Amino acid sequence: MAKRFSSQKYVEGILAGDRVMLSRAITLVESRLASDLELAQEVISQVLPHAGNSIRIGITGVPGVGKSTFIEAFGNYLIKEQGKKLAVLAIDPTSQRSGGSILGDKTRMDSLSINPQAFIRPSPAGKSLGGVSRSTRESILLCEAAGFDAIFVETVGVGQSETAVHAMVDFFLLLMLAGAGDELQGIKRGIMEMADAIAITKADGENVSKAKGARAEYQSALHLYPVAASGWMPKVSTCSALQNTGLDTIWKTIVEYLALTKGNGFFEKKRHDQNLQWMYEAIRQGLEDNFYAHGQVKQLLPGIAEEVKAGRKSAFAAAAELLRLV
């Protein structure tokens, strides 16, 4: 196991902008060891007063849309043109069979990964829905405390439970392709309702006219949705990560969104609601962890599971029996 430090040493390193200590702190919050969980919460509690001063941007999209390429281009734009200090929390798919994860986002973002103003942290999604790591929320707070004022959270982009990332960011950006086909309608419907902006990627070469056509179609479709609680009408734009075009328009949209939502109080209300939601999710996760760590449950669960598997006992009766033990 990697060396552990005192909570004070982690905090001092994070507040000083020490990337190595920041990485170690994120590793700490990702750990499932009971001792690490306790230490991680001490660290989070101490850095909390220094967090919250960033714009949190969730980025998702259909497979093949070029999320990593876009993030590198947009990230470099924010650093060079807007003077931002950027942290990218890239959630990699985890094999449900082997439990392994590629964690290849750093290799796909060559220039951004060596930029001194950027910090890229790939994390395995595990079994979390929506492609969001269990520790992503804590990682956001740690990165903010380390001085990063723009946070990207990249999802796996599987089109399921994207509410997970939507519930932890300020602005939700959906990347789409031109001419993706009607087979994606089911995915688009649910995610489009949550999107604060849509960017049609790969708008370069022969694809420019298709991208412009898709932009008009999506913008028209968005007018059919009811006005969001924020009072914001989502905007659609085109961009090319290869040619670095359209990135300024996307940033302008984000700035306009922030101005509106901070002005009408929605931004602060959303942050407060998210904090409360995080607490309830932590309660649910804690109850589950305590349940499976219970001595009698660990002893009896395998046998009861076999009875359910063989059809000798109903799943509901088995669950009730095990829950009574805790």
PDB file of all heavy atoms in Angstrom, residues 83 245 300:
ATOM      1  N   GLY A  83      -6.630  32.433 -19.395  1.00  0.00           N
ATOM      2  CA  GLY A  83      -5.808  32.455 -18.188  1.00  0.00           C
ATOM      3  C   GLY A  83      -6.290  31.525 -17.090  1.00  0.00           C
ATOM      4  O   GLY A  83      -6.027  31.767 -15.905  1.00  0.00           O
ATOM      5  N   THR A 245     -11.461  25.888 -33.959  1.00  0.00           N
ATOM      6  CA  THR A 245     -12.504  26.848 -34.294  1.00  0.00           C
ATOM      7  C   THR A 245     -13.752  26.569 -33.458  1.00  0.00           C
ATOM      8  O   THR A 245     -14.045  25.424 -33.131  1.00  0.00           O
ATOM      9  CB  THR A 245     -12.876  26.766 -35.786  1.00  0.00           C
ATOM     10  OG1 THR A 245     -13.263  25.417 -36.111  1.00  0.00           O
ATOM     11  CG2 THR A 245     -11.701  27.178 -36.651  1.00  0.00           C
ATOM     12  N   LEU A 300     -23.362 -15.353   6.187  1.00  0.00           N
ATOM     13  CA  LEU A 300     -24.561 -16.009   5.664  1.00  0.00           C
ATOM     14  C   LEU A 300     -24.880 -15.686   4.211  1.00  0.00           C
ATOM     15  O   LEU A 300     -25.607 -16.431   3.550  1.00  0.00           O
ATOM     16  CB  LEU A 300     -25.770 -15.634   6.535  1.00  0.00           C
ATOM     17  CG  LEU A 300     -25.701 -16.063   8.007  1.00  0.00           C
ATOM     18  CD1 LEU A 300     -26.924 -15.565   8.757  1.00  0.00           C
ATOM     19  CD2 LEU A 300     -25.582 -17.591   8.112  1.00  0.00           C
TER      20      LEU A 300
END
